[in-house]
Structure formats: C-alpha cells, structure tokens
Amino acid sequence: MPGPRPVVLSGPSGAGKSTLLKRLIQEYEGVFGFSVSHTTRNPRPGEENGKDYHFTTREKMQESIDNGEFIENAVFSGNMYGTSKLAIEDVQAKNRICILDVDLQGVKNIKQTDLNPIYISIQPPSIEILEKRLRDRQTETEESLQKRLEAARVDMERSKEPGIFDIVIVNDDLEKAYERLKSALITEIQKVQDAKK
C-alpha cells in the first residue's frame, strides 16, 4: 500500500493507549488519521455514514469479507464490525499515518495481510497497577472488571511472545512511555511532515 506505514496499537484496557494517543495527535496535528470502520448496526442519532462508520448490510459486509477486502472483523452484540483495506488506504491517500487500535485477535488477523504496519503494544507495569487504574475509573461492575483483568493477564503474557510486536512499551511513567512511542514512530512522522513541505 502506498503512503506512510500504518500503526497497529494494542494492549489491555487501562494500560494508557488513549492517553498516549491523544498526546501524539495533539503534538503532531494532521499527521495521524483513524480508519472509519464498517458496521451492520443501525446508525445512532447524529451519526453520519462515512464519518462515524460505514453503515452496511450483513450480506454486503460478509461478501466483502469473503472477497478479502477486510483486514479484520468481529461480531459484537449480534452486529458485525470491521476494518476494510479501503478505509486504511483512504487515510494513507491523505498522507497520514493510519492508526488501528485493535485487540490481540485483530493483531493476528492483520499479521495475515500485506499491510506491513508497525506493531506496538502498550502494557501496564503490573496486573495490580492495572487493577487499581480500572477501579479508580469507577466505570466497571465487579464482574466486568474481573473479565477485563483476565483478558489483560492473557494480553500481558502474549505481548512477551517474540515476533508479535515490534515494540512493547510498559507504561509505568507516562513521560517515558510517550517518548518511547514517539521514537518508535519518528521515521514515519518525519516522512509525512517532509511530504507536506
């Protein structure tokens, strides 16, 4: 695919992905972009087709998946969601680095494509610290918190396996984690900035 290499960001909920991403996007305005996902669910009030999601039918989406047009897809609450190759190419055509925030299953699916992204895992320093961060949010029931922690344990183990990620960033200090993320992406960032001059 032409354009800057996409970035696949993964890691458990509460590891700090969103915080790090927001800083990156603020510091490098106009350098990053998100691909617009497809879904078979109905639009919610105020959502725009092509902006919030590409709204489609189950039949059309399944046909596109069968034709190899999606790099990853999943079913949540009976609705299909996925990232198409075209959605990523749209971001790259604007000469932006496409960011894909996916779980480990998504990472595995993307590994089977010709996308060639930079794979980055953001991890918490420990499961205990992650549990404290999630409890401090006060947004989880005990049951959903335990499910998240179990998923995080698996995620933390898998992130250590060689060859899955290009870089694993342990977010034990936000400044250091941010500097590591930036240095992992600086070559691509500079390509985008140079092309805009």
Side-chain angles (χ1 to χ4, degrees):
M1 285 183 183
R5 280 177 78 189
V7 174
V8 168
L9 211 55
S10 193
S13 181
K17 289 189 308 275
S18 301
T19 306
L20 291 166
L21 217 45
K22 277 182 196 146
R23 279 189 67 177
L24 202 60
I25 290 164
Q26 280 175 338
E27 184 172 347
Y28 298 101
E29 203 177 316
V31 170
F32 295 94
F34 289 92
S35 62
V36 179
S37 297
H38 283 66
T39 184
T40 58
R41 77 162 169 75
N42 291 323
R44 294 185 182 128
E47 285 184 331
E48 286 178 49
N49 188 35
K51 184 179 175 222
D52 298 289
Y53 281 98
H54 294 293
F55 295 99
T56 186
T57 64
R58 184 170 281 275
E59 295 71 31
K60 276 188 185 165
M61 188 155 167
Q62 191 58 58
E63 190 182 325
S64 297
I65 291 166
D66 294 343
N67 290 337
E69 295 167 29
F70 277 72
I71 62 155
E72 60 92 29
N73 64 86
V75 175
F76 294 108
S77 306
N79 294 303
M80 296 170 76
Y81 293 84
T83 307
S84 71
K85 291 177 181 175
L86 199 60
I88 295 166
E89 287 167 4
D90 285 347
V91 175
Q92 289 176 316
K94 294 176 186 141
N95 195 37
R96 290 186 172 194
I97 298 169
C98 185
I99 295 175
L100 297 116
D101 183 352
V102 297
D103 63 7
L104 274 172
Q105 188 56 51
V107 169
K108 277 185 182 167
N109 292 343
I110 294 168
K111 289 264 183 196
Q112 294 165 17
T113 69
D114 58 0
L115 193 61
N116 188 31
I118 300 166
Y119 292 94
I120 299 175
S121 175
I122 308 289
Q123 293 293 327
S126 69
I127 201 77
E128 293 76 23
I129 289 172
L130 182 71
E131 182 173 354
K132 182 183 180 329
R133 287 178 188 172
L134 290 172
R135 285 191 187 281
D136 288 350
R137 283 183 182 177
Q138 298 182 346
T139 55
E140 308 282 332
T141 63
E142 188 58 33
E143 185 186 355
S144 80
L145 180 85
Q146 291 308 321
K147 280 183 185 167
R148 280 193 191 273
L149 289 171
E150 189 46 46
R153 280 186 189 92
V154 172
D155 196 305
M156 289 168 78
E157 274 311 300
R158 297 293 310 280
S159 73
K160 295 174 187 162
E161 290 177 23
I164 294 185
F165 293 100
D166 297 314
I167 181 170
V168 175
I169 298 171
V170 177
N171 186 8
D172 52 355
D173 174 307
L174 193 64
E175 288 307 312
K176 285 181 185 158
Y178 181 66
E179 287 307 316
R180 286 198 65 201
L181 179 62
K182 220 162 66 166
S183 69
L185 301 176
I186 202 69
T187 305
E188 293 303 311
I189 290 169
Q190 284 169 342
K191 278 185 203 169
V192 171
Q193 289 174 326
D194 291 346
K196 288 184 178 185
K197 285 177 185 165

